Amino acid sequence: MSRGTTATARSLWRDRAFSTYWFAQSLSAAGDAFAFLAVPLLVLHATGSVAQMGLLTAVAGAASVGAGIFGGVLVDRYDRRTLMIVVDVVRLVLYGLIPLAWLAGPQVWLLFVVLPICEAAGMLFQIAAVASVPALVDRDRITEANGRLQATFALAAVAGPLLAGVVSARVGPSVALAVNALSFAVSAVGLRMIRFRPRGEVQGAVRREKPLAEFLAGARFLWRQPVLRALTVLLAVFIFLTYGFTDVLVYHVKHDLGGTDGTVGSVLGLAALGTVAGALLVAPLRRRRGFGTAWIGAQLVCGLALAGVGLVGDVRAVTVLTAVYLCGISVGGISSMSLRQEITPDHLLGRVTSAFWSTHYSLGPAGAAVLTWAAGRFGVTAVMLVAGAGCVLVALGGLCTPIRGAGTPRAAHQAMPAPAGI
């Protein structure tokens, strides 16, 4: 282990750049948690329709997928910190428009304009954020750093929906979105205070090509790596089945279980503890059991939890099962993200992340529309049973792919074919 790596291992939390980045993004995550609850409530209050909630999610998701196609090209071409700051400012302005417009009454049409733009900008931010982690910590600390970041994000997500539920119940969900807007200002200021490692220290020379050719370079790398290829295919199915889950959950708690806005906030906030648990478990679980066991087990847990949400009729039980589901999401998501960061050359990391996300999220918008329409037509129980069974099949599918034998980053490197022609 190098001297730099040893220092990082001893003082990850005392590293100024990492700590500032962590603090700013945690506050931003708390603001996102307000929007996570406030947007569905705004639509539900104005229209009373779970299908409208799903349509908005689908439109916003489509914009996110579209941005993901070429977002990696921008992230690899330009300064990542600057891009993240610009995106934060754009979201600050756009999300700030919603509470102002709502002063004149519900303006659902504005959500269909603002949310897709913000989701597209958010996708660019996420790609840049993922690609920036190796510029903040050494490579062998990536899983730990991701786990700590996600754990604190999840802690913010616990308080966020709880507070958003109280705010929404008292003064309306539009005010909760104002909190989210302000959080982007905090994020931008935090990013201005830090410096990433110079790109020359973490990457080789980047050959600039046409945008489509650069995007395809990431896609080729992704397709030629057996584990990443299998993950992309299986996650596309998983996302189709689960992308609209939050909308269905909000509808279920309010419509079927008779909950209030505050109840919905409590369910989402307390369930976020599952994300915290997953983020804390993922590093030791992956070290002891390997990537394949961690990822496949996470998908299985998610499927069983979704089926359980459809079967139980008590708010407390729904909260617990949603927490279990989010724990699985956390373990699976951090594992796959860390694997990509470990085995992808830095000069391709933005494009590989872009290709990965835009591909496996491509079916998400359609899935959200189908899931919420089916929940309104056939009921939440039937929809959650089908979605849960599908996720179990995704886990079983993982057993038939190279994911099953994937273990340490070194093993993944050995299995990775040379990215010829890139």
Side-chain angles (χ1 to χ4, degrees), residues 35-54:
F36 185 64
L37 174 65
V39 171
L41 286 178
L42 280 172
V43 178
L44 193 60
H45 286 181
T47 68
S49 170
V50 66
Q52 283 287 323
M53 295 163 63

Side-chain angles (χ1 to χ4, degrees), residues 161-162 249 253 262-272 315-316 318-319 322-323 326:
L162 291 171
L249 180 65
V253 172
T263 305
V264 174
S266 297
V267 170
L268 292 177
L270 294 174
V315 171
R316 289 171 295 184
V318 167
T319 303
T322 302
L326 292 177

Side-chain angles (χ1 to χ4, degrees), residues 339-350:
L339 182 70
R340 291 197 312 277
Q341 292 166 329
E342 290 160 356
I343 68 179
T344 304
D346 185 81
H347 70 281
L348 279 173
L349 186 52

Side-chain angles (χ1 to χ4, degrees), residues 7 46 86 112 146-147 161 198 207 231 248 251 256 284 288 290 350 383:
V86 171
F112 281 88
N146 285 331
R207 184 174 64 189
L231 281 171
V248 172
Y251 174 77
D256 299 334
R288 295 173 186 173
V383 168

Side-chain angles (χ1 to χ4, degrees), residues 302-328:
C302 287
L304 296 176
L306 286 179
V309 169
L311 291 173
V312 301
D314 179 75
V315 171
R316 289 171 295 184
V318 167
T319 303
V320 171
L321 287 167
T322 302
V324 173
Y325 166 77
L326 292 177
C327 180

Side-chain angles (χ1 to χ4, degrees), residues 16 38 42 61 83 87 102 111 169-170 184 212 219 273 299 354 390:
R16 183 176 180 274
L42 280 172
L83 280 175
V87 168
W102 235 259
L111 296 178
R170 293 188 176 182
F184 295 123
L212 181 58
L273 291 171
Q299 309 315 302
S354 174

Side-chain angles (χ1 to χ4, degrees), residues 80 131-137 195-199 202 346:
R80 291 166 180 170
S132 296
V133 171
L136 289 170
V137 300
R195 292 290 184 272
F196 296 156
R197 296 174 185 175
R199 297 286 294 276
V202 294
D346 185 81

